[in-house]
Amino acid sequence: MSTLSEIARKVQKGEISAEKTVQESLDRVAAAQGLNAYISVLPEYALEKARDLDRRIASGETVGPLAGVPIAIKDNIVVAAGKTTCGSHILENFESPYDATVIGRLLAAGAVPVGKTNLDEFAMGSTSETSAFGAPVNPIDAGITPGGSSGGSAVAVASGTVPVSLGSDTGGSIRQPAACCGIVGMKPTYGRVSRYGLVAYASSLDQIGPFARNVADAALLLNTLAGFDARDNTSSTQVIPDFTSALGGSLKGKTIGIPKEAFGEGLDAGVEASVRAALAACEREGAKIVEIHLPALKFAVAAYYVIATAEASANLSRYDGVRYTHRTSNPKNLMELYSKSRSEGFGAEVKKRILLGTYVLSSGFYDAYYMQAQKARRVLTADFEKAFAQCDVIAMPTMPAPPPKVGDIFKDPMAIYLQDIYTVGVNLAGLPAISLPVASTEGMPVGLQLIGRAFGETELFGIAAGAERSAAGMGAG
Ligand code: GLN
């Protein structure tokens, strides 16, 4: 499949029509229906947008840098067409009256949303299996999960239905599915991309980002997504550089920090071997590898699950059976309307997290859990800052083990939470990070994660592209 810039160039020049490009994508979506990557498809909407682009091109108008590029959107990002379910029965029939800021930006750049992708309910999970609409299937191997929570967006790209898609990452939900499906997934710095129209899970951690088949496409897509938005009060006013500007750079003189704490107990030997081989290839291309320390990484999972659930319990209180979609029938009084609507509408994982979040915020436990977690968050953020005095990027696996097998999450949920060890700390510190597929020694997809300085996406993409080229030299796809 062509890269984003190839597609856009051909459409802009009239070599192929946007309509044909989008129709072909819709055909591939239909052919791959069995993978359950999409909760809903938007054929009429997408074709109308494509025809409109073709008309504008025919009349000599200049169209945007993503003209005619079909894109899949995680179903917790609102589009003013079709439904936005968040993978939950409670929003099963919810129709958004407005577009998320990122959707407005994509449309202005000429990209065409073709459908809404499957996810863990309200993005809570790491395997996409908590979706109320059944789990998406990993095209590499149906016995392993595609990762989560943005599993549908990863499958949509990995199976070739679209060249790029959007996910959201609160604690790894872009990077983990990218690793599980053998593609690229990137979480920008907190504040880089507007969260307006992203249904909130944990507002201080949530960030929208791209999935792509290569680093260059991810960087190009971020150029369109990023930018200040007055409708998101955590949106950053930092200037937006051209994220593709360092892509051709060499790895010579770049320093990659390897945290000692990330390569110890609990790391699968096969994953470690793949990641170390990829780093050795970077070293051969001129990168310098140094050991660094993130002593507070050991607190990351605990702190994350306290903070994320606390924020979720507050954010999800808005689903009360009065607004939005699911409402119980014949409640006896207002309290019963609330409790029955919520009991019927939410799935087990979401209920578990609301209970946990309510508990850690309750008086008497607030200091013991929530305050402690906030302290751990500050210490970990300081650890990262210290580490970046010694290196340009930090490298570690995206996940400590190969993709979870289908059904594992229901047998041992704690084991799956612990697999968030390498991703959640990045959200707690608000940093940008990317997961790249690297050659696997055991036939299972493995992700190499590179973490950048806050607002250092351009350099991060540059080094990631270098790592991608070195990995290709090793024979990886
Ligand atoms: N696995 C993490 C969780 O379940 C992260 C999810 C996410 O990034 N949305 O909360």
Side-chain angles (χ1 to χ4, degrees):
M1 184 186 274
S2 319
T3 62
L4 288 199
S5 36
E6 278 162 21
I7 298 172
R9 188 185 50 77
K10 285 187 191 158
V11 170
Q12 283 157 348
K13 286 195 169 167
E15 286 171 29
I16 40 168
S17 69
E19 183 175 358
K20 183 158 189 283
T21 310
V22 167
Q23 184 60 58
E24 283 172 2
S25 169
L26 289 166
D27 292 345
R28 291 192 298 270
V29 171
Q33 209 181 352
L35 296 176
N36 205 22
Y38 292 81
I39 291 178
S40 58
V41 189
L42 300 166
E44 283 105 56
Y45 168 87
L47 288 169
E48 191 194 303
K49 298 275 178 218
R51 285 187 207 114
D52 181 52
L53 272 169
D54 288 332
R55 271 194 295 273
R56 286 165 48 203
I57 293 164
S59 70
E61 239 183 86
T62 335
V63 287
L66 300 180
V69 170
I71 184 166
I73 310 293
K74 187 177 183 180
D75 206 19
N76 62 350
I77 298 171
V78 300
V79 177
K83 290 174 183 166
T84 299
T85 68
C86 291
S88 181
H89 284 307
I90 210 157
L91 289 178
E92 201 159 359
N93 295 308
F94 176 65
E95 290 177 12
S96 171
Y98 70 99
D99 278 329
T101 295
V102 288
I103 301 299
R105 286 180 165 274
L106 286 171
L107 293 174
V112 180
V114 295
K116 306 292 297 289
T117 59
N118 207 346
L119 69 161
D120 279 302
E121 185 174 1
F122 283 100
M124 295 175 184
S126 306
T127 65
S128 300
E129 291 167 284
T130 73
S131 167
F133 306 109
V137 178
N138 192 326
I140 296 175
D141 177 344
I144 56 172
T145 74
S149 65
S150 320
S153 288
V155 174
V157 170
S159 62
T161 63
V162 280
V164 279
S165 61
L166 292 192
S168 66
D169 191 312
T170 304
S173 279
I174 294 174
R175 290 160 286 157
Q176 291 193 13
C180 294
C181 293
I183 59 169
V184 172
M186 195 266 178
K187 180 199 100 70
T189 307
Y190 186 77
R192 202 45 129 171
V193 176
S194 171
R195 292 181 296 108
Y196 182 75
L198 167 66
V199 178
Y201 163 10
S203 310
S204 78
L205 303 161
D206 298 339
Q207 195 64 192
I208 293 171
F211 283 97
R213 244 185 304 277
N214 54 62
V215 174
D217 277 359
L220 192 65
L221 183 52
L222 189 60
N223 275 352
T224 289
L225 304 177
F228 174 72
D229 180 10
R231 289 173 298 188
D232 169 1
N233 62 10
T234 60
S235 172
S236 162
T237 53
Q238 290 259 346
V239 284
I240 306 299
D242 175 0
F243 295 117
T244 66
S245 60
L247 288 178
S250 143
L251 287 178
K252 279 201 186 69
K254 301 292 181 198
T255 309
I256 303 178
I258 310 293
K260 188 160 192 292
E261 295 77 5
F263 284 83
E265 203 192 324
L267 174 57
D268 174 86
V271 171
E272 176 167 4
S274 302
V275 166
R276 286 205 188 270
L279 292 171
C282 292
E283 212 172 2
R284 284 196 295 277
E285 296 297 317
K288 197 171 141 204
I289 310 282
V290 297
E291 186 174 277
I292 54 139
H293 289 279
L294 296 174
L297 192 66
K298 58 177 179 288
F299 305 131
V301 172
Y304 168 82
Y305 276 96
V306 169
I307 292 169
T309 57
E311 293 185 19
S313 73
N315 277 326
L316 271 61
S317 64
R318 72 189 61 164
Y319 306 104
D320 54 7
V322 178
R323 294 165 289 177
Y324 312 106
T325 69
H326 180 72
R327 180 178 303 173
T328 193
S329 41
N330 308 317
K332 285 204 225 38
N333 52 43
L334 186 62
M335 275 319 285
E336 198 176 289
L337 166 69
Y338 292 153
S339 63
K340 278 199 166 169
S341 300
R342 287 167 69 81
S343 304
E344 292 162 6
F346 289 135
E349 184 65 27
V350 173
K351 285 178 187 158
K352 191 201 295 182
R353 301 207 185 193
I354 293 173
L355 286 170
L356 200 61
T358 308
Y359 179 79
V360 299
L361 287 176
S362 57
S363 71
F365 297 106
Y366 183 89
D367 287 354
Y369 297 108
Y370 189 72
M371 283 296 283
Q372 281 299 107
Q374 292 290 17
K375 283 183 199 161
R377 182 177 193 171
R378 269 199 301 278
V379 175
L380 181 61
T381 305
D383 278 3
F384 273 113
E385 264 164 39
K386 239 181 275 168
F388 279 118
Q390 288 169 262
C391 59
D392 299 309
V393 292
I394 295 173
M396 53 174 112
T398 305
M399 297 174 74
K405 293 200 175 64
V406 170
D408 278 1
I409 181 94
F410 304 112
K411 290 183 209 139
D412 189 357
M414 194 57 167
I416 304 290
Y417 292 167
L418 289 171
Q419 293 208 8
D420 291 345
I421 176 73
Y422 300 136
T423 49
V424 293
V426 171
N427 300 72
L428 289 169
L431 303 172
I434 189 165
S435 178
L436 309 175
V438 293
S440 154
T441 44
E442 291 169 355
M444 281 286 139
V446 174
L448 163 67
Q449 180 179 216
L450 298 174
I451 304 164
R453 294 190 177 92
F455 298 100
E457 284 92 349
T458 307
E459 175 157 51
L460 176 64
F461 279 124
I463 296 175
E468 186 179 51
R469 279 194 305 273
S470 336
M474 286 164 50

